[in-house]
Amino acid sequence: MRALALGWLAGTLWLQTRADLLPAFLSLSLLALGALALVRVSWMTSRWRVLLLVVAGISLGAGWSSQRAQHRLAESLPAELEGRDLQLTGIVASLPNRFEDGQRFIFEVESASDGSRSVTIPSRVALGWYAAEQSAPELIPGQRWQLTARLKQPHGQLNPDGFDAEAWWLTEGIRANGYVRQNPALLLDAFVVSARDLVGRARHTLRERIQQALPEARFSGVIIALVMGDQRSIEVADWDIFNRTGIGHLISISGLHITMIAALFSGLVHFLWRHSFFIGTQLPLWLPARKAAAIAGLLSALGYVALAGFGIPAQRTLLMLAVAALAVWGNALLSASQLLASALLVVLLFDPWAVLWPGFWLSFGAIACLLFASDGRLRGGSGWRAALRSATHTQMAVTAGLLPLTLLLFAQVSLISPVANAVAIPVISALVTPLALIGVVLPAPLCDWALQLAHGTLALLAQGLEWLAALPLAIWQVPKPDLLETLLAVVGTAWLLAPRGWPIRWAGLLAWLPLMMAAPRAPSQGLWLTAFDIGQGNALLIETPSFRLLYDTGPKYSAAADGGSRVILPYLRSRGIDRLDAIVISHSDSDHAGGARSLLNALDVGWIASSLPSAHPLIDARHVACVAGQRWQRDGVQFEFLHPLVSDGEVSKPNARSCTLKISVGARAVLLTGDIEAPQERALLARAADQLRADVLLAPHHGSGTSSTPQFLDAVAPKIALFQVGYRNRYRHPKAAVVARYHERGIALLRSDRSGAVSLTIDPAGITLKQACETPRYWSSQRCHPSMPDTAEGQE
């Protein structure tokens, strides 16, 4: 079983890292080969049995994952329907996520038409209903609506070490997303009865009860997450505290909580069943108490997972508990490792995309660490000292065992996590969560009292967590290790956690040295330029051997998210970078300055240059105004502002004041233009035409029709032009006429909505290009093409 599970894991992981799916005949052949190998195993001697099981697992894992993916990807939105008004009839299939400008929800489509004929679209789409479009009604799971929407194919941002939104949509079965249009929407049914919608309506009712009992309470979102797994109402600042203290895994319906509820009900039923509920019957003679307890634990876990909306992580825990319950009912004599392997197989069978997410590796990794560190090695004894010793041993084993994996996944680890978890686990699991669960089912006013007590307990815990999170050494951040360094550290960790008597166990720490001594990489000469796939906005990181500058900070996506927190910070953390020497904010438009506050709060920043008005909230003591003629040099690289002039002042519109920065490495140069338009281009030609020559040009104003004039392009004469634009953006950038101008001059166009993030190495020897789309996955919409016909302008 263990060899088969590990082989299946390897086959699944291999498939999920491929750029293209296997052909249908090949995936079916692999399934047949795996099945044949399983049959053959029974005839083999033990010498070859393990190897054949691994081969069978690899074949079955790859073939099964490919078949599942082909079935999921077969449902797609036709390209000709993107951006068109479609009349949809369907059911609200999720708990809506409400925010300042509207709400987002999953819509289960029953029928669709384009106004003249029926059309086929994916059955499950993600929609936004924005207040700017029309007064958004209160959506409730189970409602049937008829509405008009515009859809587009799944398209996520593609950045190194960034969140893969397209993989998440694929995992959730969402094959299109869009927004509700202005046309009047019609509520057809207030509630459509089904098991799914009954669960959704119950979750809606519970959320309303919590919000009414805890109006304006800081941690009401955490209580909602603990009761029903919906984390979307938790403030970003609170998430930062939870992550810095390493207790983020507790702030949801986690595997720990589901297992705790299952164990509680299982133990209660076991006790009552053994005593026949004290009614004088002989229930254990009819059914053993342990089997009744297994069913009770599984059913209670099922109910709790239903509260979580059957989220993927909760489903994973439920499947693991189901395997354990089946083992009890089948009287299977499985070791702990065999039970874990069985659970692994079942999880991968139901969800082959689980390997893409950290929760999968951390949950199975934690259990594996516990089994390895405690198998026959815990001392006996009773009383609080033995319990404390056992708990400490367990916590340290899991913390040390998961450290290499945590660094590989997040490039940082909480050093205060053992202390924080030692307090938070019993408080949240034994006090806050039970109080919250009891509170939501009690009648008023008992409901309010129980929820307020849960919130008060959580608030007291948060005070201690805030103090811990503020400690200078709360987080250990290093560059994300490569696979070889991680495997070496895993071997060292296993050596460290080996049983007593193992020779020089402390030597396992030596395998951690490559992780501990790693430092952020930097170019040896010249510069590195990274143009992020940031959506409709600008953000570029420039690095020399000893200097890092960020040009623009990306757009503001919503009140709780921006390009700084969603794209730039994850990238910097994966590189182990916690300081920027300078940030240049070209101008005040939100697609350029929107991520600045997140970056300034999270990083040590040397100085800031911008054309922001003097009263702008980002202005502080580190700020200087960018003015033409300012120049400085680092590591042989020359930086110079060419625009704006002092005389431009604060009277012109923000685009016209964009800080235009030229960066020169010997005879090679980069020109970053912000959102300058034709008048500013003419002014630059008039006063600094001889300074405009550059090999790489950031296309002015994202390729708008009011920029990139022929004369300006002739003066710059770039070899490469970078267009940072959003997919199907509402401005239709870049404009077709502008794209044609670049093509006429033989300039290579790199669009972030097609290439993803772009990395350039520029030194006296030349320019080396790397695009994120060069390493796609089979679900990726962004693919590199040697000769991309960038003739079509962006579309809404």
Side-chain angles (χ1 to χ4, degrees), residues 277-298:
F277 288 85
F278 301 98
I279 59 176
T281 60
Q282 296 296 321
L283 291 179
L285 296 178
W286 175 69
L287 181 69
R290 64 190 186 93
K291 292 188 177 182
I295 289 297
L298 184 60

Side-chain angles (χ1 to χ4, degrees), residues 550-603:
L550 182 70
Y551 182 88
D552 278 340
T553 62
K556 190 175 184 66
Y557 304 131
S558 67
D562 54 63
S565 62
R566 289 289 178 87
V567 176
I568 303 171
L569 276 177
Y571 174 78
L572 295 178
R573 285 171 177 159
S574 74
R575 297 265 314 277
I577 297 171
D578 58 7
R579 172 182 168 80
L580 292 175
D581 296 285
I583 292 180
V584 174
I585 303 174
S586 64
H587 61 294
S588 59
D589 283 358
S590 64
D591 57 331
H592 296 254
R597 179 51 62 196
S598 295
L599 295 170
L600 294 175
N601 289 340
L603 300 172

Side-chain angles (χ1 to χ4, degrees), residues 244 413 415-416 466-477 578:
R244 286 183 65 83
V413 66
L415 297 179
I416 57 175
E466 285 181 308
W467 181 81
L468 288 173
L471 294 176
L473 297 178
I475 288 288
W476 177 33
Q477 180 174 316
D578 58 7

